[in-house]
Amino acid sequence: MGDGLKLVLQRVERAKVQRADLEREVRAWADAGAYTVVSQLYPNTGQTLFYLENVAEASPTITALIAETIHSLRTALDNLAYQLFLVCRTDPS
């Protein structure tokens, strides 16, 4: 495996770590009572609609982790596109 592909995989692994951190933060936010789940039954259709009420603002840590995870995945995709370009180009100049 080339060094370029190793870099792509490292960035994906970093995104996985960031995602796990994000999930932990979101779980703690939700467990702290960040929102209320409300349901409403529609007797005509028999369907129940669930929605959130009183949603607390997400912490700066959560928003930062979202941005970092997206950035890591985007960087991995950019690196992968460049590696594919190197492999598939037909004109050496």
Side-chain angles (χ1 to χ4, degrees):
M1 182 180 328
D3 288 339
L5 191 53
K6 284 181 185 177
L7 180 61
V8 171
L9 294 176
Q10 286 173 346
R11 296 200 187 279
V12 170
E13 288 304 313
R14 178 65 186 137
K16 287 179 183 179
V17 170
Q18 290 166 325
R19 179 178 171 215
D21 292 345
L22 174 61
E23 287 176 359
R24 249 187 324 278
E25 287 291 326
V26 169
R27 198 173 308 115
W29 173 76
D31 290 345
Y35 56 86
T36 306
V37 178
V38 179
S39 65
Q40 182 174 359
L41 174 64
Y42 290 91
N44 293 343
T45 63
Q47 294 180 330
T48 302
L49 174 68
F50 294 91
Y51 57 96
L52 303 179
E53 265 188 357
N54 305 318
V55 180
E57 188 171 325
S59 72
T61 303
I62 290 175
T63 55
L65 284 168
I66 290 169
E68 289 172 3
T69 304
I70 291 170
H71 179 73
S72 292
L73 290 171
R74 183 183 177 277
T75 303
L77 185 59
D78 286 347
N79 285 209
L80 179 60
Y82 180 66
Q83 293 305 312
L84 289 171
F85 163 75
L86 292 177
V87 169
C88 297
R89 67 179 175 182
T90 56
D91 182 7
S93 61

